[in-house]
Amino acid sequence: MALISVAMTSEDETEIGAALQMLLNSDCGTGYMHESFASNNGCQLTRDYFAWPNSYFAEMFEAKWREGKLTKAILSLPRHQCGKKKPPDTSVDQV
């Protein structure tokens, strides 16, 4: 949630873009924001789901959109997932 606060309070588009990129890369393929994660592994989460970071992220995104701080360059930053969680293998072994 600290990264959301960085983006929320910053006026610097580079800092906002970097925070947004880190946030989007740390969702671990879930599409959710998280309360916190390990600095060296964005998929090591304190909780799998916690609604407050999602709401705070939406509030930040809307505020920065209204301020004109979310430029096309920021919104098109590449995403590098941190090791997406893989769905369980449901295939049946053929014997």
Side-chain angles (χ1 to χ4, degrees), residues 13 18 48 54 56 63 75 92-93:
E13 290 181 11
D48 283 338
N54 294 314
Y56 192 31
L75 295 176
V92 178
D93 290 334

Side-chain angles (χ1 to χ4, degrees), residues 10 12 19 23-24 29 32-33 38 44 57 59 63 66 72 74 76 78 80-81 87 90-93:
S10 181
D12 179 13
L23 286 161
L24 294 175
Y32 299 125
M33 294 293 105
Q44 188 178 354
F57 180 82
E59 181 182 350
R66 287 183 180 189
K72 186 174 182 179
I74 288 175
S76 61
H80 303 287
Q81 287 296 314
T90 57
S91 63
V92 178
D93 290 334

Side-chain angles (χ1 to χ4, degrees), residues 9-83:
T9 59
S10 181
E11 295 295 321
D12 179 13
E13 290 181 11
T14 303
E15 185 176 39
I16 294 166
L20 187 60
Q21 188 176 33
M22 285 188 275
L23 286 161
L24 294 175
N25 288 341
S26 69
D27 77 345
C28 199
T30 65
Y32 299 125
M33 294 293 105
H34 297 94
E35 177 182 28
S36 64
F37 53 88
S39 62
N40 62 346
N41 181 353
C43 285
Q44 188 178 354
L45 311 169
T46 50
R47 302 184 209 198
D48 283 338
Y49 182 78
F50 183 48
W52 187 7
N54 294 314
S55 301
Y56 192 31
F57 180 82
E59 181 182 350
M60 176 276 296
F61 195 91
E62 182 180 13
K64 293 303 164 183
W65 181 264
R66 287 183 180 189
E67 293 170 14
K69 298 289 185 185
L70 296 179
T71 63
K72 186 174 182 179
I74 288 175
L75 295 176
S76 61
L77 289 169
R79 291 188 64 185
H80 303 287
Q81 287 296 314
C82 62

